[in-house]
Amino acid sequence: MNTHTNPITVTAFRWVPPFAQGLVRDLRVRWALEEAGLPYTAKLIGPEDQASAEYREWQPFGQVPAFAQDGLELFESGAIVLHIAEQSEALMPNDAAGRARVKTWLFAALNSIEPAVQELTVIDLFHSGAEWTKARRPQVEDRVRSRLGALAAWLGERDYLEGRYTAADLLMVTVLRNLRHTDLLTQVPTIKAYCERCEARPAFQKALRDQLADFVEHPPAA
């Protein structure tokens, strides 16, 4: 049982375009905190905050999420999730070997899977129809398919990456969710079922609802 009582603050955008809602990376941190049973407050920010010297002292690149607790300030969603996981048996096993393997998959999600997924997302959502994408997109899609195939082969009959649900699954699924505008996950039933299994968790559903509620309550100024 977690006994932490100190307030946690997580930064999030007060609004993003509809295509990005449910994908902004503070979702990863919200989900981890829900799994760990740690209450937090979302500090909603906009472009003016991102550009401020005060925020850049906290998050050097002006992005979200940033995390603060007991004077500790962190940035980068993967690092924050790892920090939370190291304090929670719900997200990280107790044995040294198990923890090391979970960390390996944390890095795999961010280094082996996310770059290709992110490049495809950028092409489709920000440069759709541009002449240069006609040659580039098929190459990127092939790379994504290759990564998904390797991931599916590892999962096989497993429900999760390492025996039980961990922070590695949390990060992996939040990366894979960026493909929701395509049918690539549907084409790999093992991966589709894996994502659905993780997204069915109450902690994910709560984190997603809370992120989406912030966007609804804080539309852009007219």
Side-chain angles (χ1 to χ4, degrees):
M1 180 176 178
N2 206 303
T3 60
H4 286 271
T5 59
N6 298 307
I8 294 172
T9 300
V10 178
T11 62
F13 290 135
R14 65 173 58 97
W15 187 83
V16 295
F19 72 80
Q21 294 181 11
L23 298 178
V24 186
R25 291 174 185 173
D26 62 281
L27 180 66
R28 298 172 175 177
V29 177
R30 293 176 188 253
W31 187 3
L33 290 169
E34 293 292 346
E35 294 282 3
L38 294 173
Y40 69 94
T41 298
K43 178 180 175 63
L44 303 183
I45 69 169
E48 69 285 358
D49 302 294
Q50 291 179 267
S52 71
E54 180 182 7
Y55 190 64
R56 292 293 176 128
E57 282 293 315
W58 187 3
Q59 216 299 355
F61 305 100
Q63 300 171 321
V64 301
F67 170 100
Q69 182 186 24
D70 290 341
L72 174 65
E73 295 186 343
L74 301 175
F75 64 96
E76 289 296 331
S77 60
I80 299 168
V81 168
L82 176 57
H83 173 72
I84 296 166
E86 288 178 330
Q87 305 172 62
S88 171
E89 294 181 17
L91 292 168
M92 186 80 79
N94 285 322
D95 65 291
R99 294 169 77 87
R101 291 185 65 84
V102 168
K103 290 176 185 178
T104 295
W105 277 108
L106 289 174
F107 282 100
L110 301 180
N111 292 346
S112 294
I113 305 293
E114 188 166 43
V117 169
Q118 188 67 20
E119 186 174 1
L120 187 64
T121 301
V122 169
I123 288 173
D124 289 350
L125 300 184
F126 294 98
H127 302 286
S128 179
E131 188 64 28
W132 64 268
T133 67
K134 294 178 181 178
R136 181 60 181 160
R137 191 188 185 285
Q139 298 171 354
V140 176
E141 184 173 302
D142 284 347
R143 186 177 172 215
V144 172
R145 289 180 188 278
S146 175
R147 294 302 195 194
L148 294 180
L151 181 61
W154 168 263
L155 281 169
E157 299 299 318
R158 296 179 176 93
D159 284 341
Y160 303 106
L161 293 170
E162 283 297 327
R164 67 168 178 87
Y165 174 86
T166 68
D169 301 296
L170 185 156
L171 275 188
M172 185 66 76
V173 169
T174 57
V175 168
L176 295 172
R177 280 174 53 78
N178 285 283
L179 294 171
R180 68 180 187 177
H181 69 285
T182 75
D183 63 353
L184 291 173
L185 297 183
T186 302
Q187 294 176 24
V188 189
T190 297
I191 302 296
K192 183 175 184 290
Y194 167 65
C195 289
E196 290 174 347
R197 186 177 306 120
C198 292
E199 290 177 338
R201 297 179 66 83
F204 171 80
Q205 293 294 326
K206 174 69 162 55
L208 181 62
R209 285 196 305 272
D210 288 347
Q211 186 189 70
L212 295 177
D214 284 338
F215 297 141
V216 170
E217 294 173 8
H218 300 274

